[in-house]
Amino acid sequence: MGAPRWRRRCLLLLPALAFSAVLYGRCRPAGGGSLLQQEPLLLVPPELSREAGSHDLTRESIIKRGQQSKYSPELEKPRPTWEQPSSCLQSLTSKVKADSKFGKLFDFRIPVLMWDRHLTSETWNKLKGRGVPYGWQGLSYTAIASTLRLLNDSANRWLIDRASFPGDCIRCAVVGNGGILNGSRQGKEIDAHDFVFRLNGAVTKGFEEDVGTKTSFYGFTVNTMKNSLIAYREYGFTQVPQSKELRYIFIPSDMRDYTMLRAAILGSPVQDGSDKGDEPSKYFGPEASAKKFKLLHPDFMHYLTARFLRSDIINTQYGYLYMPSTGALMLLTALHTCDQVSAYGFITDNYENFSDHYYELEKKPLVFYANHDMLLEAELWKSLHRVGIMKLYQR
């Protein structure tokens, strides 16, 4: 990154358990390609991906194939939201409004969370035309509705209830799992924030000095949560964070996220799907209620991808594989919710100096898969830090 031209190779990660991959080359044009460019978001439904096994994956060929798709939903005008206004005089919103580029990208009117008030025929008709995670294409109305109707508490409207917050400015730390945090001694600074977001394999035991102990929000998809419990068990991630104050942020990347959320609120086993029979209480505790759960709005995820993290892969027949990483979604959620945001453990220019995760005993390189675009995310974090909208921990 930073050079006029750079090339990376990345594995095309299939969302199924097999993780079978197709290796492809990708070039950025001179100048890097502006991440602020305004274009419609092209999303290709899975049923158009029958050639996923093809080895003819030059950049030109996949872009040409992707241009044949007519699936091109654009951002719509936002509806009024139930978010509470901030009284913080040093809120990041002032920095956003003052910046000529980001001032055009951020739209704080778009609802961050989805809850029962969004269950309307108009919303259904709109979202059933988009594939997950940006909509409900191919999903059962009954299953979606039975979940959303349970998100009927005021706590499901927003992440943070400003009415009950004593201070004026809400300070949030979003903690990724990058190796840059190993030996960072940032634990006290992280815990000093009003709210701390963590995600996926969020190991804290044994690393308190570097990453702190406080967890206010834990963000995940059911897939990333379960995979983390398997992949990072040897590093100490044997249990999803639990506490009375902690809240869980579901990222609806698949039907299983809706079914798991419904079962968690009801306190019953999952009734159907690939997680049938699973007990949500082992992840979220035995006394979890609707108040503990938040669900990202598909419109919000669509907006984030279209405005901030629109990777080239979106415009190809493999676009259904792509979505922003869990860390990116949590950080952008905080940037649309909190007054001041600091990011720790996220990818930086010198990522090659550090291990993939901070809790690995031996250094492991960061691997790039085509279901995320980590280098595009790195460009975004660097830009947001440079203009003062957020603070990015670097070393």
Side-chain angles (χ1 to χ4, degrees):
M1 292 186 301
R5 289 180 176 271
W6 52 268
R7 181 183 297 271
R8 67 182 172 93
R9 297 172 65 83
C10 53
L11 295 173
L12 205 60
L13 181 65
L14 296 178
L17 296 177
F19 287 91
S20 58
V22 180
L23 196 64
Y24 78 101
R26 174 182 169 190
C27 301
R28 283 190 188 271
S34 173
L35 62 89
L36 302 177
Q37 190 175 8
Q38 293 292 316
E39 296 178 359
L41 173 59
L42 301 178
L43 299 173
V44 182
E47 58 266 25
L48 298 181
S49 64
R50 294 192 176 94
E51 298 180 44
S54 171
H55 295 279
D56 181 23
L57 291 178
T58 63
R59 185 176 188 276
E60 291 74 16
S61 67
I62 62 177
I63 293 295
K64 183 178 180 180
R65 294 178 191 179
Q67 289 172 341
Q68 298 171 358
S69 171
K70 296 181 180 179
Y71 189 72
S72 177
E74 301 209 23
L75 286 174
E76 300 180 7
K77 293 181 180 180
R79 300 301 179 90
T81 179
W82 290 272
E83 293 297 324
Q84 301 164 315
S86 170
S87 60
C88 177
L89 297 179
Q90 293 82 38
S91 175
L92 61 86
T93 56
S94 60
K95 295 288 183 66
V96 168
K97 293 176 181 178
D99 188 83
S100 60
K101 293 180 179 179
F102 286 111
K104 296 177 182 178
L105 293 187
F106 276 84
D107 192 336
F108 296 101
R109 299 169 298 171
I110 292 180
V112 173
L113 301 180
M114 172 162 273
W115 60 303
D116 70 331
R117 297 279 184 90
H118 294 119
L119 185 59
T120 64
S121 58
E122 183 181 5
T123 299
W124 170 257
N125 289 332
K126 178 180 65 172
L127 294 183
K128 73 178 183 180
R130 296 187 203 147
V132 288
Y134 311 107
W136 295 332
Q137 188 178 66
L139 305 187
S140 161
Y141 173 83
T142 301
I144 294 294
S146 64
T147 298
L148 293 186
R149 288 191 182 108
L150 298 174
L151 297 173
N152 54 18
D153 190 276
S154 61
N156 303 129
R157 301 182 188 183
W158 47 70
L159 285 179
I160 299 166
D161 184 1
R162 289 183 178 272
S164 62
F165 185 74
D168 291 330
C169 297
I170 296 177
R171 300 175 60 248
C172 296
V174 186
V175 185
N177 301 320
I180 192 173
L181 286 177
N182 191 304
S184 66
R185 304 177 73 87
Q186 294 298 299
K188 289 184 178 180
E189 181 177 309
I190 290 171
D191 286 347
H193 289 77
D194 299 308
F195 297 93
V196 178
F197 293 69
R198 299 186 193 271
L199 53 117
N200 295 340
V203 179
T204 56
K205 187 176 181 180
F207 299 90
E208 296 87 349
E209 201 170 66
D210 291 335
V211 303
T213 61
K214 184 176 182 177
T215 304
S216 312
F217 299 102
Y218 176 73
F220 62 97
T221 70
V222 171
N223 185 60
T224 62
M225 177 186 72
K226 288 195 168 186
N227 284 346
S228 294
L229 287 168
I230 295 171
Y232 309 128
R233 183 179 183 84
E234 63 177 298
Y235 303 115
F237 189 68
T238 59
Q239 175 62 61
V240 172
Q242 293 182 12
S243 73
K244 182 179 179 180
E245 297 77 18
L246 191 148
R247 300 293 181 261
Y248 299 101
I249 304 176
F250 272 78
I251 300 171
S253 69
D254 194 85
M255 188 65 237
R256 67 192 300 202
D257 297 293
Y258 292 97
T259 55
M260 177 66 77
L261 175 56
R262 181 177 185 273
I265 295 174
L266 294 175
S268 64
V270 177
Q271 297 299 309
D272 48 37
S274 59
D275 301 299
K276 185 176 180 178
D278 203 357
E279 297 279 355
S281 59
K282 69 183 181 183
Y283 307 116
F284 314 117
E287 299 179 357
S289 67
K291 293 183 179 181
K292 289 188 73 72
F293 299 105
K294 320 286 185 178
L295 177 67
L296 288 190
H297 199 303
D299 268 347
F300 180 64
M301 297 177 66
H302 181 259
Y303 150 77
L304 295 181
T305 306
R307 294 283 183 92
F308 298 95
L309 291 170
R310 187 184 50 262
S311 176
D312 290 347
I313 198 68
I314 290 173
N315 297 332
T316 76
Q317 69 185 95
Y318 308 103
Y320 76 98
L321 291 172
Y322 173 79
M323 66 181 287
S325 70
T326 307
L329 291 171
M330 287 300 97
L331 182 46
L332 286 165
T333 295
L335 285 165
H336 285 77
T337 304
C338 308
D339 295 315
Q340 298 166 6
V341 175
S342 298
Y344 302 84
F346 282 78
I347 185 171
T348 56
D349 280 347
N350 60 341
Y351 69 88
E352 292 179 332
N353 295 340
F354 309 104
S355 189
D356 192 356
H357 302 97
Y358 61 81
Y359 37 76
E360 289 160 343
L361 300 179
E362 297 181 5
K363 183 179 178 181
K364 296 183 178 181
L366 176 60
V367 178
F368 297 103
Y369 295 97
N371 62 327
H372 303 314
D373 193 334
M374 302 303 292
L375 295 179
L376 181 62
E377 292 181 10
E379 291 177 18
L380 177 60
W381 312 145
K382 183 169 63 175
S383 298
L384 289 166
H385 173 82
R386 184 173 60 248
V387 298
I389 293 174
M390 75 172 204
K391 174 186 173 184
L392 176 66
Y393 174 70
Q394 304 174 80
R395 58 190 286 207

